[in-house]
Amino acid sequence: MDTPKILSVQALVNKRLLVKFSNGVEKIYDCQPLITKFEVFTPLENEVFFKQVKADPGGYGISWTDKVDLSESELWTNAVEVVIV
């Protein structure tokens, strides 16, 4: 299966992201493990910086800067789908 593209991303509380994909699925991704495991993601500890996340053109990922970013496949594979009951 091809990974769906990202339509939008929104910063949530507790270093989580709400990601909307082109197939209509919404998922929540927890960035906290990245911050503690990989030095490149430590800037995400800053709340103002964290909230500056944006979807990349074409939907191939999200980014804060050229060096702090995540691919659509990482988000699709490791985020938890939002289920509305």
Side-chain angles (χ1 to χ4, degrees):
M1 176 181 144
D2 290 332
T3 304
K5 300 304 175 216
I6 296 169
L7 295 178
S8 67
V9 61
Q10 177 184 353
L12 303 174
V13 297
N14 299 323
K15 304 301 183 220
R16 296 177 306 145
L17 300 169
L18 175 61
V19 184
K20 295 181 183 181
F21 291 90
S22 59
N23 62 355
V25 173
E26 293 184 5
K27 292 190 173 193
I28 294 182
Y29 185 86
D30 184 1
C31 293
Q32 194 61 50
L34 295 175
I35 295 168
T36 56
K37 190 173 182 180
F38 301 104
E39 187 175 337
V40 69
F41 291 106
T42 57
L44 299 182
E45 291 177 335
N46 179 299
E47 193 65 26
V48 173
F49 182 81
F50 183 75
K51 289 180 177 180
Q52 294 177 359
V53 66
K54 62 184 181 308
D56 293 338
Y60 292 100
I62 63 168
S63 60
W64 290 268
T65 68
D66 288 343
K67 295 183 181 186
V68 183
D69 58 11
L70 293 168
S71 70
E72 82 278 17
S73 60
E74 166 66 18
L75 296 163
W76 179 255
T77 303
N78 295 307
V80 177
E81 187 169 350
V82 175
V83 179
I84 299 172
V85 182

